[in-house]
């Protein structure tokens, strides 16, 4: 499992996941994201799932936990480009309203400090 965490100046954090996300991998990612959120640097957290093939319940817990942290700073979450299988998992988890299909560039351009277009 590989991942990239990129912080943009407009309080946008994009986490790009590759391969399979399981319990062991979530621990590696959690700290980086939580640190940025708790410092108040993040208003929109985008999970780019385009290259993610598998996610277990620990991955869902990772997303839900960061959503809880973001609520404390009035932040929002987006699940970008999940596979059909991931879409079903998010539907069962009650997270389907956070799914978006776009390119990272479109999200970056559209989010220039204005996050009102994202469904809460």
């Amino acid at each position: 499992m590989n991942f990239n965490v990129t912080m943009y100046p407009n309080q946008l954090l994009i986490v790009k996941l590759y391969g399979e996300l399981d319990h062991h991998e979530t621990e590696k990612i959690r700290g980086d994201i939580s640190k940025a959120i708790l410092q108040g640097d993040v208003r929109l957290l985008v999970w780019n799932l385009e290259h993610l093939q598998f996610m277990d319940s620990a991955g869902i817990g990772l997303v839900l936990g960061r959503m809880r942290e973001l609520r404390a700073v009035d932040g929002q979450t987006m699940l970008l480009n999940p596979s059909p299988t991931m879409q079903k998992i998010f539907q069962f988890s009650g997270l389907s309203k956070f799914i978006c299909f776009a390119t990272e560039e479109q999200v970056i351009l559209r989010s220039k400090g204005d996050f009102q277009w994202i469904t809460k």
Side-chain angles (χ1 to χ4, degrees):
M1 161 86 189
N2 289 321
F3 68 96
N4 293 329
V5 178
T6 307
M7 186 73 195
Y8 290 88
N10 54 346
Q11 296 181 305
L12 168 65
L13 182 68
I14 297 182
V15 179
K16 190 181 282 191
L17 303 173
Y18 302 88
E20 298 184 357
L21 180 60
D22 60 19
H23 173 71
H24 299 290
E25 302 301 329
T26 59
E27 294 301 318
K28 297 175 187 175
I29 299 168
R30 178 177 288 121
D32 290 347
I33 299 169
S34 291
K35 181 179 175 183
I37 292 170
L38 296 174
Q39 289 175 343
D41 296 335
V42 181
R43 292 234 8 255
L44 174 61
L45 172 56
V46 177
W47 298 90
N48 186 338
L49 307 174
E50 185 174 3
H51 301 288
L52 186 68
Q53 283 86 40
F54 172 80
M55 175 188 288
D56 67 6
S57 60
I60 296 294
L62 175 69
V63 172
L64 288 171
R66 293 340 89 210
M67 288 176 78
R68 190 176 12 227
E69 290 175 354
L70 276 168
R71 275 190 221 120
V73 295
D74 199 31
Q76 299 178 37
T77 301
M78 178 185 293
L79 304 168
L80 190 63
N81 303 321
S83 69
T85 303
M86 294 287 111
Q87 288 178 54
K88 289 178 186 176
I89 290 170
F90 291 127
Q91 282 179 319
F92 294 136
S93 303
L95 299 174
S96 60
K97 66 182 177 181
F98 299 101
I99 294 174
C100 179
F101 292 93
T103 65
E104 277 187 25
E105 292 78 18
Q106 290 170 322
V107 171
I108 293 165
L109 288 172
R110 190 147 188 205
S111 69
K112 299 266 185 190
D114 175 22
F115 304 110
Q116 299 303 315
W117 58 278
I118 302 169
T119 305
K120 274 193 172 185

